[in-house]
Amino acid sequence: MCFSIHLARKPLVDVERWTLKQVQGDGSGSGHRQLRLNMTTFRTLDDLGDLTGKVALVRVDLNLPMQDGAVTDDTRVRASAPTILDLCAKGAKVLLLAHFGRPKGERVSTMSVSMTLDAVQAVLGREVMFVPEVAGDVVRQAVGILRPGDVAMLENTRFWKGEEKNDPELARAIAENGDIYVNDAFSAAHRAHASTEGLAHLLPAYAGRSMEAELKALEAALGNPVRPVAAVVGGAKVSSKLDVLTHLVTQVDHLIIGGGMANTFLAAKGVDVGKSLCEHDLADTARGILAAADKAGCTVHLPYDVVVAKEFAANPPSLRTCNVHEVAADEMILDVGPQAVEALADVLKTCRTLVWNGPLGAFETVPFDAATVALARSAAALTAEGALVSVAGGGDTVAALNHAGVADDFTYISTAGGAFLEWMEGKELPGVKALQAA
Ligand code: ADP
Ligand code: MG
C-alpha cells in the first residue's frame, strides 16, 4: 500500500481556500464576493480546544463505490480526512460512524463497513481499528485500548434497526461511549437517522470541516447569495426535479433549463420536439412553473437552437444543429445548440452567483457534451476572474464537470447527491437542523 500517494492528494474540501477566496474577494475591491454567512448557529471544530482522551463520535460518509471487494473511489474519505485528522491532532480518540449499503437492520457480511478499512487507512495514513459494534461493552473496551489521537471504525450503523428509525434507545447507547458528536456527512443529512440526527441531541454537537464547507457553499449559493443569481437545471426528466424547479423560480433571477427537461418545457409551449425524451403528460405542470417564474420575476431560458439526431449514438450520421422549431418528427434533441450556449454564457456574465444541477445534454456521448462543456468552462472562467461564485452538485453533474475539466475551478462542488437535491428543493435537512439546534 502506498500511503504517500494518497496523502499527497489534496483534500476534496479545502476550507482554507474557500475561506480565503471568499472573504478576500477578487482583490479588485468590488467586494461582491464577500460572504455574509450566518454560521454562528453551528459549532465547528474551531470551537474545540484540547480533547486529550475525549471520545469523538464522528459521522462520516463511507458509502464508497466498490468493485470486486475494492474501493473504486475514495473521494468521500478524502473529504472527511481533514476533520478526522484535526480531531486526532487535538488528542481525541476518534470513533467513525457510517452506513454502508442497505442491510435493512440485519448483519450482512458483504455490507460490513470494514470493507472500506483499507481505503480509510490509506487516505488517513494511519492504522484504524475496526470494531464490529456501534454500542455496548465491545466499543467501551475498544475505547480503553485506543490512545489519544487514535482512530477506530465502528460497524455499519444500518445493521441496527434503530438507525433508520432514529430510535432514541440506539442513539443513547451509541452516545454512552462518546463525549462529543461531530457530523461530517452532509450527504446523509437529509435522513433523520440515529447517527445523523438523534446523536446531535445527546452530545455536544459540531459540524465537521466538510459539513462546514458544504453549508458555507450552499449558504452562499441560495441562502444569502450575491445577486443576480442564475440556476442551471438540466438532466433527463422534469418529473425527477419538479420540486427543485418550483423552489428555484422563487429564489433565482435566471433559470436556465437544459437537458431532456427542456424538451418538456418546449413541448408545453407548443414546440414539436419529435422523438425527443419528453414528458408530455407534464405539460400543465411545466406551464405552471413558467407562470410562477413570471410572477416571481425569474427569467426562464430555454434553448432556441438544439443539436438533434435520428439515432442516439456517438457522432451519428444524422447529426445536425437546428432551430427548435425545425426539429423533424423522427429526430431527437440531444443537446443545447451553440448559439443558445453563447447567449447563456452572456447571461452568466451578468450574474454573481451560479448554482448548477444537471447536464445540458446527453453528455456521456459525443458530441452531445458540447453545450455542458462550453457553459461549464464559461462559468469556470468567470469564477477564476472572481466575478462569479459557482456551486454545483448532483451525481451526473459532477461527472460532467470532471469531463469538462473544470471541477477544480468551480467555487464548490458538492458530491452529496440526494442531500444536495433536497437542499435545492428548499427543504430543511434534519441532520443540519439538529446541528443548529444543538
Ligand atoms: P444529476 O445526476 O446531476 O442530478 P440527472 O441524473 O438528472 O443529473 O441527469 C443526467 C442525465 O440526463 C444524463 O445521463 C444525461 O445523458 C441525461 N440527458 C441530458 N440531456 C438529455 C437529452 N436531451 N436527452 C436524453 N437524456 C439527456
Ligand atoms: Mg443522476
Side-chain angles (χ1 to χ4, degrees):
M1 207 171 295
C2 183
F3 290 148
S4 56
I5 288 179
H6 287 277
L7 288 171
R9 278 201 253 165
K10 72 170 194 186
L12 181 79
V13 177
D14 190 338
V15 182
E16 289 309 315
R17 172 169 156 258
W18 164 263
T19 311
L20 282 176
K21 239 168 85 179
Q22 296 310 309
V23 174
Q24 293 177 349
D26 58 6
S28 69
S30 65
H32 64 250
R33 303 192 70 206
Q34 195 83 35
L35 273 184
R36 285 158 291 145
L37 286 177
N38 181 19
M39 295 293 289
T40 46
T41 47
F42 296 93
R43 276 185 292 200
T44 70
L45 301 193
D46 294 327
D47 297 310
L48 286 166
D50 180 52
L51 293 172
T52 301
K54 294 263 189 292
V55 178
L57 285 161
V58 186
R59 182 55 159 97
V60 289
D61 184 348
L62 295 181
N63 202 23
L64 311 180
M66 310 273 299
Q67 207 164 11
D68 304 323
V71 169
T72 55
D73 183 355
D74 62 6
T75 304
R76 288 167 169 172
V77 187
R78 283 186 288 120
S80 275
T83 295
I84 298 167
L85 295 173
D86 187 333
L87 291 165
C88 290
K90 288 182 159 77
K93 299 179 179 185
V94 176
L95 302 183
L96 303 179
L97 277 170
H99 76 272
F100 186 66
R102 295 172 181 270
K104 302 209 167 109
E106 310 282 340
R107 275 191 194 265
V108 180
S109 59
T110 54
M111 292 187 204
S112 170
V113 77
S114 63
M115 309 271 281
T116 69
L117 196 63
D118 284 350
V120 173
Q121 295 189 128
V123 170
L124 296 180
R126 60 177 66 200
E127 244 179 78
V128 175
M129 179 199 277
F130 177 67
V131 183
E133 299 288 340
V134 288
D137 288 342
V138 174
V139 177
R140 198 178 349 270
Q141 283 157 14
V143 167
I145 295 166
L146 294 173
R147 294 154 307 178
D150 280 350
V151 183
M153 176 191 288
L154 306 188
E155 185 53 289
N156 189 346
T157 51
R158 291 192 185 168
F159 279 5
W160 287 267
K161 290 200 168 60
E163 164 71 341
E164 293 188 60
K165 289 187 192 142
N166 199 5
D167 179 2
E169 286 301 310
L170 178 67
R172 215 166 297 138
I174 298 172
E176 251 170 40
N177 287 312
D179 296 301
I180 62 167
Y181 168 72
V182 177
N183 191 348
D184 209 29
F186 175 81
S187 56
H190 57 316
R191 313 247 188 249
H193 292 174
S195 70
T196 62
E197 205 273 347
L199 275 173
H201 300 293
L202 300 173
L203 293 170
Y206 300 83
R209 296 293 182 207
S210 161
M211 173 73 87
E212 184 188 347
E214 187 99 27
L215 295 175
K216 280 183 180 172
L218 301 192
E219 173 76 5
L222 281 187
N224 196 359
V226 185
R227 294 194 175 272
V229 184
V232 171
V233 182
K237 290 181 171 180
V238 170
S239 53
S240 63
K241 292 179 184 171
L242 264 184
D243 292 343
V244 172
L245 294 164
T246 309
H247 179 61
L248 284 180
V249 294
T250 67
Q251 302 293 312
V252 305
D253 305 288
H254 295 276
L255 176 62
I256 294 167
I257 303 178
M261 65 175 61
N263 303 338
T264 300
F265 280 90
L266 289 169
K269 293 182 83 166
V271 173
D272 184 352
V273 297
K275 272 200 313 172
S276 303
L277 174 66
C278 178
E279 294 167 291
H280 291 284
D281 54 324
L282 287 181
D284 281 344
T285 308
R287 280 190 288 266
I289 291 169
L290 293 174
D294 207 34
K295 209 173 138 208
C298 166
T299 309
V300 177
H301 302 267
L302 288 166
Y304 49 81
D305 64 335
V306 285
V307 181
V308 298
K310 290 189 166 78
E311 62 280 87
F312 185 28
N315 298 311
S318 59
L319 181 76
R320 70 183 189 107
T321 299
C322 66
N323 184 281
V324 284
H325 295 288
E326 295 164 358
V327 179
D330 58 350
E331 286 179 322
M332 285 176 279
I333 301 173
L334 291 164
D335 200 12
V336 172
Q339 283 180 43
V341 171
E342 227 171 274
L344 294 177
D346 286 339
V347 171
L348 293 191
K349 280 183 197 147
T350 70
C351 292
R352 292 291 165 261
T353 303
L354 166 67
V355 52
W356 186 331
N357 169 258
L360 295 180
F363 77 100
E364 300 93 336
T365 310
V366 282
F368 310 113
D369 58 340
T372 306
V373 168
L375 195 64
R377 288 189 179 155
S378 299
L382 290 167
T383 307
E385 283 168 24
L388 192 69
V389 169
S390 52
V391 174
D396 293 296
T397 309
V398 176
L401 296 182
N402 278 326
H403 169 72
V406 300
D408 281 346
D409 304 322
F410 269 56
T411 311
Y412 188 80
I413 293 199
S414 171
T415 53
F420 182 82
L421 274 181
E422 286 202 19
W423 164 79
M424 276 189 85
E425 291 166 2
K427 291 193 181 138
E428 199 161 51
L429 309 182
V432 173
K433 196 178 167 209
L435 283 182
Q436 280 169 316

